[in-house]
Amino acid sequence: MGEVLSLQEQGESAREFIEGLIEELGLEASVSVREVDSETIEVVVDGAELGLLVGRGGATLGALQELARTVVQSRTAGPTERILVDVAGYRAKRAEALQRFTKQVAEEVVASGSEQAMEPMLAPDRKVVHDTVGDIDGVQTRSEGEEPRRYVVLSPQGALVTSDSDD
């Protein structure tokens, strides 16, 4: 294990790893790093035909992010900050689509008075659902299940809720 790396140095380490991976895969892309906040860095990959790095439902992207985090953890003696990876704006597009879908499900929950479980999803997607529902009156959320099959349940506000834990 090396020295303690700053947030910027952790971002550069993750960027170098991802650039090397892209080169090995023979893909054309630019990789940059941006500071999201004082504890979060995002590695942004832009280019054409990068679907291979995203995968179905963002699964490959999630794995790429975990690999980048693991590489950074192996290179620093201190704590690892939050490292996000985005490819071709996938996360923003996914979040927008998930917000629209979540609002539709929330309307159905309010209208029917019955709870609805969503499909299993990765933690960042569950967070989008929880945050979206947080702005809607009459609906609440909870996460259930174990990774990798963890999912969100939307229920009418005030319904008796038991929760494994929140995301």
Side-chain angles (χ1 to χ4, degrees):
M1 212 176 261
E3 62 193 56
V4 175
L5 300 179
S6 69
L7 180 64
Q8 293 77 18
E9 290 169 328
Q10 289 180 32
E12 285 303 309
S13 182
R15 182 189 59 75
E16 290 170 5
F17 164 73
I18 291 172
E19 280 181 340
L21 181 65
I22 288 169
E23 187 176 318
E24 287 295 320
L25 292 171
L27 300 173
E28 296 272 333
S30 64
V31 183
S32 60
V33 177
R34 74 176 190 90
E35 191 172 317
V36 176
D37 58 39
S38 64
E39 299 175 343
T40 309
I41 203 84
E42 182 178 44
V43 180
V44 180
V45 182
D46 283 312
E49 300 182 30
L50 296 175
L52 175 69
L53 295 177
V54 175
R56 184 177 174 155
T60 304
L61 177 57
L64 179 61
Q65 181 171 292
E66 283 306 307
L67 282 172
R69 260 189 96 209
T70 301
V71 167
V72 172
Q73 285 173 338
S74 73
R75 295 179 179 171
T76 185
T80 304
E81 301 296 345
R82 189 161 182 232
I83 298 171
L84 303 175
V85 177
D86 192 17
V87 174
Y90 175 81
R91 289 202 188 276
K93 292 174 201 165
R94 171 89 173 152
E96 288 172 17
L98 197 50
Q99 287 168 341
R100 284 192 304 274
F101 179 69
T102 298
K103 288 175 184 175
Q104 290 175 343
V105 173
E107 287 175 12
E108 293 171 13
V109 167
V110 169
S112 70
S114 299
E115 66 182 28
Q116 287 195 36
M118 299 182 86
E119 293 294 318
M121 59 185 76
L122 299 171
D125 290 344
R126 291 194 307 269
K127 182 173 182 347
V128 169
V129 173
H130 290 302
D131 290 349
T132 301
V133 171
D135 295 333
I136 300 173
D137 290 333
V139 185
Q140 60 192 12
T141 59
R142 68 181 184 275
S143 289
E144 292 187 357
E146 299 295 323
E147 296 292 357
R149 306 272 317 143
R150 197 156 170 80
Y151 59 95
V152 178
V153 177
L154 282 70
S155 60
Q157 192 78 42
L160 184 58
V161 174
T162 58
S163 178
D164 293 350
S165 70
D166 53 325
D167 287 306

